[in-house]
């Protein structure tokens, strides 16, 4: 993905087929496809190839919490752990690398759920989007 769309999109894991949601009870979760508003995201530029990923319904951003060592959603802030590099894989596929923890990429591991992990080129760390 060279330039993220400026409309709200759904973000889908290439391997597991699950979408990212900011669930009111559970926070950031992978879930089956639906058209619920908590599954739509804005990818907003904040620097050269650096973006914030904000939920359309809750207004929360995706962060990699270094203390908890896991991806979460939280209110908007200037913290670097809420900024991501969109690393293109193909035209509509990409990886998400955290800016504060540059060795951490967002993965959806089928056993562990959403995790931050070093880039190992596995397809559970590759995402695509649907408008």
């Amino acid at each position: 993905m060279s330039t993220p769309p400026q409309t709200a999109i759904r973000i889908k894991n290439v391997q597991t087929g699950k979408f990212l949601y900011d669930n009111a009870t559970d926070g950031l979760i992978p879930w089956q496809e639906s058209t619920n508003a908590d599954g739509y995201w804005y990818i907003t530029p904040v620097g050269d190839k650096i973006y914030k990923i904000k939920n359309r319904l809750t207004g929360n951003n995706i962060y990699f919490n270094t203390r908890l060592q896991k991806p979460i959603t939280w209110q908007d802030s200037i913290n670097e752990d809420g900024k991501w590099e969109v690393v293109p894989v193909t035209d509509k596929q990409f990886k998400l690398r955290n800016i504060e923890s540059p060795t951490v990429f967002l993965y959806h591991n089928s056993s562990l759920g959403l995790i931050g992990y070093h880039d190992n080129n596995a397809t559970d760390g590759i995402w695509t989007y649907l408008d």
Side-chain angles (χ1 to χ4, degrees):
M1 175 170 50
S2 55
T3 304
Q6 297 304 304
T7 58
I9 60 172
R10 292 176 288 159
I11 301 173
K12 178 181 178 181
N13 187 273
V14 170
Q15 180 175 309
T16 65
K18 300 292 183 179
F19 290 76
L20 293 178
Y21 287 84
D22 188 14
N23 182 271
T25 305
D26 300 317
L28 185 63
I29 61 168
W31 196 251
Q32 70 230 13
E33 182 175 8
S34 82
T35 56
N36 294 348
D38 62 347
Y40 283 82
W41 303 87
Y42 293 109
I43 299 181
T44 307
V46 293
D48 185 31
K49 299 181 184 178
I50 300 171
Y51 301 87
K52 287 186 177 183
I53 305 169
K54 183 176 186 171
N55 188 270
R56 181 173 78 179
L57 178 67
T58 66
N60 291 332
N61 291 342
I62 298 177
Y63 289 82
F64 181 72
N65 185 292
T66 53
R67 186 177 54 79
L68 298 174
Q69 286 295 295
K70 69 178 198 174
I72 63 167
T73 53
W74 193 252
Q75 62 203 22
D76 191 19
S77 79
I78 60 168
N79 297 345
E80 297 292 296
D81 60 343
K83 297 176 183 174
W84 300 84
E85 178 184 1
V86 174
V87 180
V89 175
T90 68
D91 187 42
K92 284 190 83 170
Q93 294 183 351
F94 54 93
K95 298 177 187 180
L96 293 170
R97 184 178 71 87
N98 189 261
I99 297 303
E100 183 173 271
S101 300
T103 61
V104 170
F105 287 76
L106 183 64
Y107 279 79
H108 178 215
N109 181 281
S110 57
S111 299
L112 302 173
L114 292 172
I115 61 171
Y117 199 69
H118 65 87
D119 186 17
N120 65 4
N121 291 317
T123 53
D124 60 345
I126 299 175
W127 302 87
T128 189
Y129 68 91
L130 301 169
D131 296 332

